[in-house]
């Protein structure tokens, strides 16, 4: 049975059409991941469904008793409301009963000897029995505990931004509704909480639409993907991985259809130009067909984010922390911290909210001073600092003027000169949008613009503080590719597991006032952390004899192979790229394309075998070094 059916829904923002005549339906158990480039209208679609924003056209069909809960990216909570009052606020009898019971229980805990409160709690327990609210109450307690919400009587105005977000998530999950609308629920949540949220939503009984940049989260939670693109809505059955495969296939089919249309149009035009007499009905029909083919629109070429901007030369000395200590509100975030950042380093900083991660970035950037110790920054260091906040964007500036404040012309890594207007186009801001005031941009578009400004300063050290918040999945993927080839240092604070796995190879982990170092990516760290168990006590009466170490080494042929294999892989990858370029340049010469594809398939298989052999040899070399 359908929970919600949407027909011919249309919404625009000024002259920009966000979605036009889109249709979809939701049934119980649907878990929809909503994707699209920033500015395509993802958040707006949720707001239209929630009735927060209006629509130009379209109808939403649902039952009379239909209920929903909407979680915005940045919840605006009433400061004078208590946590318990906000979380359990709802029209259902179950929610009212649970809220009254929790208030009565909290009051009795403060004054256990009060007989009036004791009598009142018995009546509240009876009310819980009457509306069968105990299961909902237990579930609510579990949600609150997992989200780390313990002070139910606290005023919302006294909470931090992260705590408010958790309270808003708790309310959304606790309410018994038909449809749950979540906009970036994983922002600012630590790994353990995100992992719990994944498990909870996988078992969610109602329908769900979630916007998120967290690709691991999408892959594990969503059973359907909606993609908003150029005013259209595309539906893919399956998780994020399935979506990527299906989208690639859809785009390939669209390109093939466009190639066929162009070839047919070319042949028909050639017939007309030969001077055929267009007097008969058949010939007139053929002319009409040519006109129809010419009027058809092929698939629009998607704007691609291009960040191939150059950077200044970086010397040997980068940044060194020497016995650094920092305290905030009588809480020591870290002390005696020494760390040397080297050239080309890819460092991730992780830890719970408030543990001092952003503070460390600010220390290294020179924005604040340590309470003790020293921070040494090399003379050639040029820091580009991408912060969490939008405070550095002046909403009264136009998009192009904001970028020109940094530079009117930049140079790419290849030395090509590019104007500010051209760079904006590469960052998916067309000329028609460049004179728009920044305040009129979506949250994600502001973040993309801010990222461009940082990169246009041509830094050689990049500080990224939660860069994945508010950036769309497509932009993140291209940013990750750029960071792979960035000729400098990258230091990133992030909770995004996928981004960390792609970008960093070493980490600083903030836990309980200590900073732990780890060599490797985030997934390996989590796996090792989970595998740590209490050592088994051995029976000292039985001693296992120590095994003698074998004197192993690589054979002559293996050593020779190991010395040459990196060069072989590099040459094959270069050849692979050349073949891809030749295939693209072949155009409609299908015979040549077939030969090139055959050669590329053979090369791909050879490269795969060589990479497997590299892994085998690398494991042997690593074992010998140990």
């Amino acid at each position: 049975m359908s929970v919600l059916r949407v027909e011919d829904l249309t919404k625009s923002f000024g002259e920009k059409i966000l979605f036009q005549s889109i249709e979809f339906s939701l049934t119980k158990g649907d878990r929809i991941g909503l994707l699209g480039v920033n500015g395509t209208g993802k958040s707006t679609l949720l707001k239209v469904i929630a009735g927060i924003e209006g629509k130009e056209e379209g109808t939403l069909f649902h039952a009379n008793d239909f209920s929903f809960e909407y979680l915005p990216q940045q919840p605006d909570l009433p400061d004078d409301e208590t946590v318990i009052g906000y979380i359990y606020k709802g029209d259902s009898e179950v929610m009212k009963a649970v809220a009254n019971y929790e208030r009565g229980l909290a009051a009795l805990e403060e004054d256990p000897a009060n007989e009036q409160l004791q009598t009142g709690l018995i009546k509240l327990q009876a009310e819980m029995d009457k509306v069968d609210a105990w299961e909902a109450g237990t579930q609510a307690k579990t949600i609150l505990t997992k989200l780390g919400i313990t002070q139910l009587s606290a005023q919302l105005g006294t909470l931090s931004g992260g705590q408010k977000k958790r309270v808003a998530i708790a309310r959304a999950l606790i309410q018994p509704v038909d449809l749950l609308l979540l906009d970036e629920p994983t922002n600012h949540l630590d790994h353990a909480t995100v992992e719990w949220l994944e498990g909870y939503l996988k078992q969610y009984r109602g329908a769900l639409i979630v916007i998120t940049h967290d690709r691991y989260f999408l892959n594990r939670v969503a059973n359907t993907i909606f993609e908003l693109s150029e005013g259209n809505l595309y539906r893919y059955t399956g998780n994020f991985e399935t979506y990527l495969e299906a989208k690639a296939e859809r785009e390939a089919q669209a390109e093939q259809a466009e190639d066929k249309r162009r070839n047919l149009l070319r042949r028909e035009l050639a017939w007309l130009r030969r001077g055929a007499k267009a007097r008969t009905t058949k010939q007139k029909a053929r002319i009409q067909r040519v006109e129809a083919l010419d009027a058809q629109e092929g698939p629009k070429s998607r704007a691609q984010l291009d960040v191939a901007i150059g950077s200044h030369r970086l010397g040997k000395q980068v940044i060194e922390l020497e016995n650094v200590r920092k305290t905030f509100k009588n809480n020591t975030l870290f002390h005696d911290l020494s760390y040397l950042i080297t050239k080309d380093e890819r460092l991730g900083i992780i830890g719970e909210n408030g543990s001092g991660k952003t503070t460390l970035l600010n220390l290294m950037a020179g924005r604040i001073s340590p309470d003790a110790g020293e921070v040494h920054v090399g003379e050639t260091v040029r820091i580009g600092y991408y912060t969490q906040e939008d405070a550095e964007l002046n909403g009264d500036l136009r998009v192009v003027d904001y970028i020109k404040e940094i530079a009117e012309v930049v140079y790419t890594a290849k030395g090509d000169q590019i104007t500010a207007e051209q760079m904006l186009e590469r960052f998916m801001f067309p000329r028609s949008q460049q004179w728009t005031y920044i305040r009129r941009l979506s949250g994600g578009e502001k973040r993309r613009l801010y990222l461009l400004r940082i990169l246009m300063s041509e830094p050689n050290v990049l500080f990224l503080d939660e860069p994945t918040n508010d950036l769309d999945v497509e932009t993140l993927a291209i940013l990750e590719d750029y960071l792979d080839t960035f000729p400098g240092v990258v230091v990133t604070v992030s909770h995004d597991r996928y981004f960390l796995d792609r970008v960093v190879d070493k980490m600083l982990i903030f836990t309980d006032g200590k900073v732990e170092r780890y060599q490797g990516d985030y997934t390996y760290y989590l796996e090792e952390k989970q595998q740590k168990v209490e050592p088994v006590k051995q029976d000292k009466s039985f001693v296992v004899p120590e095994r003698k170490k074998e004197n192993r080494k690589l054979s002559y042929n293996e050593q020779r192979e190991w010395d040459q294999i990196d060069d072989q892989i590099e040459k094959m990858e270069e050849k692979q790229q050349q073949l891809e370029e030749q295939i693209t340049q072949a155009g409609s010469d299908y015979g040549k394309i077939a030969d090139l594809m055959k050669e590329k398939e053979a090369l791909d298989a050879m490269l795969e075998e060589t990479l497997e052999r590299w892994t085998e040899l690398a494991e042997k070399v690593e074992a010998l070094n140990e």
Side-chain angles (χ1 to χ4, degrees):
M1 181 179 175
S2 174
V3 172
L4 174 69
R5 191 171 85 254
V6 175
E7 291 186 0
D8 297 322
L9 190 62
T10 298
K11 175 72 176 179
S12 60
F13 185 71
E15 296 181 356
K16 182 178 182 181
I17 296 176
L18 298 179
F19 36 88
Q20 186 169 25
S21 301
I22 63 172
E23 298 184 352
F24 61 88
S25 63
L26 303 175
T27 59
K28 189 176 181 180
D30 280 344
R31 297 191 299 277
I32 310 296
L34 181 57
L35 299 181
V37 175
N38 289 137
T40 53
K42 301 187 298 296
S43 295
T44 301
L45 179 56
L46 293 196
K47 290 175 183 176
V48 169
I49 294 173
I52 296 171
E53 287 200 15
K55 59 187 186 300
E56 272 108 66
E57 295 177 16
T59 310
L60 279 65
F61 299 94
H62 52 72
N64 291 331
D65 59 350
F66 171 76
S67 59
F68 68 89
E69 191 68 27
Y70 167 63
L71 173 74
Q73 282 189 44
Q74 297 175 332
D76 184 18
L77 310 187
D79 289 344
D80 56 349
E81 181 87 79
T82 63
V83 172
I84 192 171
Y86 179 77
I87 285 176
Y88 291 113
K89 199 169 190 175
D91 296 329
S92 72
E93 290 184 341
V94 171
M95 282 296 100
K96 290 177 181 177
V98 173
N100 291 333
Y101 174 74
E102 290 294 338
R103 288 193 188 95
L105 187 61
L108 186 60
E109 286 175 351
E110 291 182 6
D111 188 6
N114 190 316
E115 293 184 3
Q116 187 176 354
L117 290 177
Q118 292 173 2
T119 304
L121 188 63
I122 293 173
K123 291 180 180 178
L124 293 174
Q125 288 172 334
E127 185 63 26
M128 290 280 286
D129 290 332
K130 180 181 176 182
V131 298
D132 196 19
W134 290 107
E135 183 181 350
T138 302
Q139 185 184 41
K141 277 289 180 66
T142 301
I143 291 170
L144 294 170
T145 301
K146 291 296 184 180
L147 289 171
I149 301 169
T150 55
Q151 301 297 323
L152 296 181
S153 59
Q155 295 282 320
L156 293 173
T158 64
L159 303 182
S160 67
Q163 289 170 326
K164 287 180 179 179
K165 182 67 178 279
R166 288 169 180 255
V167 168
I169 293 173
R171 173 188 165 121
L173 298 182
I174 285 170
Q175 299 296 319
V177 294
D178 300 304
L179 175 61
L180 193 56
L181 305 169
L182 304 178
D183 196 347
E184 294 289 0
T186 63
N187 279 5
H188 311 297
L189 296 184
D190 56 49
H191 165 74
T193 308
V194 172
E195 198 171 56
W196 169 81
L197 186 59
E198 284 174 359
Y200 181 85
L201 292 178
K202 282 170 72 173
Q203 307 300 323
Y204 189 70
R205 296 175 183 176
L208 162 71
I209 303 180
V210 58
I211 299 171
T212 180
H213 62 268
D214 190 323
R215 286 151 285 183
Y216 283 152
F217 183 90
L218 267 178
N219 214 40
R220 292 164 185 166
V221 171
N223 56 24
T224 304
I225 300 292
F226 282 2
E227 181 188 18
L228 270 177
S229 176
E230 296 169 352
N232 300 312
L233 183 72
Y234 300 95
R235 180 173 185 142
Y236 302 86
T237 301
N239 62 8
F240 182 64
E241 185 178 346
T242 309
Y243 151 77
L244 290 175
E245 295 171 355
K247 181 184 177 183
E249 185 178 346
R250 174 177 68 81
E251 291 181 345
Q253 288 174 349
E255 289 173 4
Q256 289 173 3
E258 175 62 6
D259 287 341
K260 288 180 181 178
R261 183 187 72 86
R262 287 176 179 169
N263 290 333
L264 182 57
L265 180 60
R266 197 178 298 116
R267 289 196 298 270
E268 295 293 310
L269 285 171
W271 174 81
L272 286 176
R273 286 166 185 157
R274 282 199 302 268
K277 293 179 181 179
R279 299 296 180 198
T280 67
T281 302
K282 185 177 181 181
Q283 289 167 333
K284 287 180 180 179
R286 194 163 186 176
I287 293 172
Q288 290 171 354
R289 184 170 65 176
V290 171
E291 292 171 347
L293 282 169
D294 192 33
Q296 286 178 14
E297 286 191 12
K300 292 183 181 179
S301 57
R302 296 287 301 276
Q304 289 295 320
L305 177 58
D306 188 343
V307 288
I309 304 171
S311 64
H312 290 265
R313 186 190 67 83
L314 182 62
K316 290 184 179 180
Q317 184 182 358
V318 185
I319 298 174
E320 182 178 7
L321 304 173
E322 189 176 351
N323 298 319
V324 170
R325 174 170 59 82
K326 189 64 182 177
T327 301
F328 182 71
K329 292 183 179 180
N330 298 321
N331 176 34
T332 300
L333 300 175
F334 43 83
H335 60 89
D336 297 326
L337 175 59
S338 296
Y339 190 83
L340 177 66
I341 293 179
T342 58
K343 196 174 180 181
D344 300 326
E345 183 155 334
R346 297 293 188 267
L347 177 67
I349 303 176
I350 67 171
E352 294 183 357
N353 294 331
S355 58
K357 306 183 299 297
T358 298
T359 301
L360 181 58
L361 284 187
N362 287 333
L363 276 173
M364 293 191 291
R367 296 191 173 193
I368 59 175
S369 301
D371 297 333
E374 294 184 2
V375 179
H376 305 285
V377 180
E379 292 182 2
T380 60
V381 169
R382 189 162 179 166
I383 295 173
Y385 192 170
Y386 181 92
T387 66
Q388 290 189 47
E389 307 301 328
D390 287 333
E392 303 193 22
L393 278 81
N394 181 354
D396 293 329
L397 279 178
R398 297 182 189 272
V399 168
V400 67
D401 293 333
Y402 175 73
I403 292 302
K404 284 185 175 180
E405 282 185 343
I406 292 296
E408 296 202 9
V409 173
V410 292
Y411 294 88
T412 68
K414 295 180 180 179
D416 298 327
Q417 179 177 298
I418 301 179
T419 65
E421 290 86 355
Q422 289 171 324
M423 278 309 306
L424 281 165
E425 287 183 311
R426 291 186 173 203
F427 264 63
M428 296 182 284
F429 291 101
R431 298 271 174 153
S432 59
Q433 194 181 14
Q434 292 179 14
W435 290 96
T436 302
Y437 286 105
I438 290 175
R439 63 175 176 268
R440 294 182 63 84
L441 301 180
S442 72
E445 286 173 321
K446 288 178 182 176
R447 301 304 288 167
R448 195 189 325 135
L449 181 65
Y450 180 41
L451 175 63
L452 170 58
R453 181 180 169 111
I454 297 299
L455 296 180
M456 281 194 70
S457 66
E458 300 183 11
N460 48 31
V461 175
L462 268 177
F463 287 175
L464 305 174
D465 195 358
E466 295 291 357
T468 63
N469 290 351
D470 301 322
L471 287 180
D472 59 81
V473 169
E474 187 172 333
T475 303
L476 283 175
I478 300 169
L479 174 60
E480 288 160 358
D481 287 340
Y482 168 69
L483 293 178
D484 281 343
T485 58
F486 177 68
V489 171
V490 178
V491 181
T492 181
V493 171
S494 180
H495 288 118
D496 189 309
R497 299 157 295 175
Y498 192 100
F499 185 81
L500 287 169
D501 283 347
R502 282 281 278 109
V503 172
V504 311
D505 51 26
K506 59 178 67 174
M507 295 188 298
L508 291 177
I509 301 139
F510 283 67
T511 51
D512 302 325
K514 298 179 181 178
V515 182
E516 174 190 351
R517 304 181 189 205
Y518 184 81
Q519 188 77 27
D521 64 29
Y522 196 32
T523 294
Y524 285 135
Y525 165 72
L526 293 175
E527 288 175 354
E528 284 190 13
K529 188 177 178 182
Q530 291 171 359
Q531 289 171 0
K532 285 182 180 178
V533 294
E534 289 291 325
V536 179
K537 293 183 179 180
Q538 290 187 351
D539 182 356
K540 293 185 179 180
S541 62
F542 178 75
V543 180
V544 180
E546 185 178 352
R547 184 177 176 180
K548 292 184 179 179
K549 294 181 180 178
E550 295 178 4
N551 183 22
R552 296 176 297 165
K553 65 178 183 178
L554 293 179
S555 68
Y556 172 78
N557 288 334
E558 285 178 331
Q559 185 63 54
R560 191 177 176 203
E561 188 180 4
W562 176 245
D563 293 339
Q564 298 174 351
I565 197 166
D566 283 331
D567 291 336
Q568 292 173 359
I569 291 172
E570 186 176 349
K571 288 177 182 177
M572 282 190 275
E573 288 176 339
E574 288 176 358
K575 179 63 176 175
Q576 197 177 45
Q577 188 173 354
Q578 291 171 6
L579 287 171
E580 289 173 355
E581 291 174 356
Q582 290 173 15
I583 290 169
T584 303
Q585 295 167 2
S588 58
D589 189 345
Y590 297 110
K592 185 177 180 180
I593 290 174
D595 292 339
L596 290 170
M597 287 295 293
K598 189 174 181 180
E599 184 180 352
K600 185 175 178 298
E601 286 173 6
L603 180 63
D604 289 345
M606 189 185 304
L607 178 58
E608 185 67 28
E609 290 179 8
T610 308
L611 288 170
E612 288 179 5
R613 180 57 177 160
W614 182 92
T615 303
E616 293 174 8
L617 293 171
E619 288 175 353
K620 285 188 177 184
V621 170
E622 187 177 352
L624 289 172
N625 290 337
E626 289 175 355

